[in-house]
Amino acid sequence: MKHAAAGSALAAILLFFSGLAAVAQDASEKEIERYRAMISDPLSNPGYLAVDRGEVLWAEKRGTKNVSLETCDLGLGAGKVEGAFAQMPRFFADGGKVMDLEQRLLWCMQNIQGLDTKDVVTRRFSGPGRASDLEDLVAFIANKSNGMKIAVQLKHPKEQEMAAVGEELFYRRGGVMDFSCATCHADEGKRIRLQGLPNLSKPGKQPQDTMASWPTYRVSQGALRTMQHRLWDCYRQQRWPVPEYASDSVTALTVFLNKQAMGGEINVPSIKR
């Protein structure tokens, strides 16, 4: 009887403290959301500094051909940026492959501007005292799809193939921890520390809210980050070998995730922790 009473008391204590933890988590999430709301205005969101820098880079003449990116075709015609991000990744006949925005920008830099992109790729992710042309360009172009719906293209056989490859990668386990994307993002109610983990395995609101909010300004990093960085960092945290920048594997995974997020309304750059 004593053991039973002790067990019941212990269970009650654990239940009490788990309830306190849940309340604390909810309170923390509300405070985070309140903070995001405070700086979500373009005049307060530091991510819009990247948008402005990207607009300048888009029109700047560079490379051996001394031309700007204003004739770069992002899928809707040469130089057209409004709505282009909402429909990417997509198949580009001139490149013979499905490309996400970063891949396409690198292709245009090399083929339209005649630019040696070695330095651009070296600075693919910004850091203290080191700007990233690609992050800034993505911020500018993605912002031109604000208010539009995610409508990734899946008509071409290559686009359908990339969606299938991306789904396979989402569930593929590996690395020293035997993790996959699905380990964290295929169930309801999962958290890492105080951060809720969206279920991306089912089409609908959670993947829509997730994919429609990148690129984002990361407060903890003091920098704007793209989905390329998010996926790179996810693989790093899983202890997988990190993917090459602008690789076909990252593009395939993005196609699959945007397929799950079809119809989500884009609002970028957002604010995240």
Side-chain angles (χ1 to χ4, degrees), residues 48-62 67-70 81 105 109 113 132-141 144:
Y48 277 86
L49 296 174
V51 173
D52 292 341
R53 291 193 300 267
E55 184 174 11
V56 173
L57 284 169
W58 181 254
E60 183 180 343
K61 295 179 179 180
R62 298 197 295 178
V67 296
S68 72
L69 288 169
E70 291 170 309
V81 293
L105 285 169
M109 288 175 182
Q113 294 183 304
S132 167
D133 292 358
L134 287 162
E135 286 178 346
D136 292 345
L137 282 164
V138 169
F140 163 64
I141 295 165
K144 292 297 184 180

Side-chain angles (χ1 to χ4, degrees), residues 75-90:
L76 300 180
K80 184 171 175 55
V81 293
E82 288 80 5
F85 180 73
Q87 298 186 30
M88 296 181 80
R90 65 185 301 155

Side-chain angles (χ1 to χ4, degrees), residues 119-164:
D119 174 65
V120 174
V121 173
T122 299
R123 295 182 293 106
R124 61 197 180 277
F125 305 136
S126 60
R130 186 183 74 248
S132 167
D133 292 358
L134 287 162
E135 286 178 346
D136 292 345
L137 282 164
V138 169
F140 163 64
I141 295 165
N143 178 254
K144 292 297 184 180
S145 285
N146 271 4
M148 301 180 189
K149 307 288 187 182
I150 293 175
V152 64
Q153 301 300 287
L154 296 169
K155 295 178 182 178
H156 194 281
K158 289 289 185 182
E159 294 166 345
Q160 296 167 10
E161 179 184 40
M162 288 295 263

Side-chain angles (χ1 to χ4, degrees), residues 102-114:
E102 284 92 327
Q103 281 181 312
R104 187 60 180 173
L105 285 169
L106 288 171
W107 189 94
C108 286
M109 288 175 182
Q110 294 161 1
N111 291 277
I112 294 177
Q113 294 183 304

Side-chain angles (χ1 to χ4, degrees), residues 202-220:
K202 299 177 181 179
K205 181 173 173 52
Q206 292 187 59
Q208 286 174 348
D209 289 349
T210 298
M211 299 304 291
S213 61
W214 288 84
T216 188
Y217 182 79
R218 298 296 302 267
V219 176
S220 59

